[in-house]
Amino acid sequence: QDNREDARFAPTIAAGDYHSVALNDDGTVWTWGDNGYGQLGDGAATNRNAPVRVTALRDVFGIEGGGNHTLALTGDGRLWAWGDNSNGQLGDGTFLSRIQPAPLPHLADCVATAAGYSHSLALQKDGTVWAWGDNSSGQLGNGTTETSNIPLRVSGLTEVTAIAAGQYHNV
């Protein structure tokens, strides 16, 4: 099942703190800049001053750059994450950083994503919002300040159509 609302890919660009991410109109992802945490997703931790293709991904329709991590959505509704994971912002149940994209095992049917400095969000097709990572300012929206390395549903939100993340807050 294809979760993209439009069959065409829309070229997009996103910025992390020290790296950039571009989505080409053919669904490929390109990254460049600082790569100290593997946030470029090219399998290395070498800084790049020119775009490199993230070969592990295809059929991408959405991208986001966080502090030192990167997120991508594929047409099948899967969310992929890589880079710094010291606060669980990759949402894979660990605190281990990744130098290549890996799908989040806990989410499906995602239609949008957002990345803060060290937290991440996903909007699912059913209008629910999920958050994970650093929660020191309550940015996960669950009434606590406890960090989570797995996605948690943001309580009280339904029928959401768009999400955005700031450094330590979300809209």
Side-chain angles (χ1 to χ4, degrees):
Q1 178 177 343
D2 192 341
N3 287 323
R4 291 174 290 158
E5 291 188 25
D6 187 330
R8 295 177 302 113
F9 295 101
T12 307
I13 193 156
D17 274 17
Y18 304 102
H19 72 290
S20 300
V21 187
L23 174 59
N24 201 351
D25 62 0
D26 64 359
T28 59
V29 175
W30 298 77
T31 57
W32 63 98
D34 184 78
N35 198 21
Y37 293 91
Q39 63 265 43
L40 300 186
D42 64 352
T46 305
N47 296 347
R48 306 289 184 187
N49 61 8
V52 293
R53 183 169 175 206
V54 182
T55 58
L57 294 174
R58 60 181 167 69
D59 192 33
V60 173
F61 74 94
I63 54 172
E64 281 292 324
N68 291 303
H69 70 291
T70 309
L71 305 171
L73 285 169
T74 53
D76 59 3
R78 288 194 299 172
L79 179 59
W80 298 71
W82 63 98
D84 183 21
N85 197 29
S86 58
N87 287 287
Q89 61 265 48
L90 301 186
D92 62 2
T94 76
F95 293 99
L96 301 172
S97 298
R98 295 184 177 274
I99 59 174
Q100 291 185 313
L104 270 74
H106 309 287
L107 288 177
D109 292 328
C110 296
V111 295
T113 188
Y117 180 72
S118 56
H119 71 284
S120 304
L121 302 170
L123 173 61
Q124 290 196 295
K125 195 173 195 174
D126 65 3
T128 59
V129 178
W130 297 73
W132 60 96
D134 179 34
N135 196 26
S136 59
S137 297
Q139 59 267 49
L140 301 188
N142 63 4
T144 76
T145 55
E146 294 177 24
T147 293
S148 177
N149 62 7
I150 60 168
L152 302 172
R153 184 172 173 185
V154 179
S155 60
L157 294 180
T158 60
E159 300 181 35
V160 175
T161 59
I163 55 175
Q167 189 169 6
Y168 297 106
H169 71 286
N170 305 306
V171 181

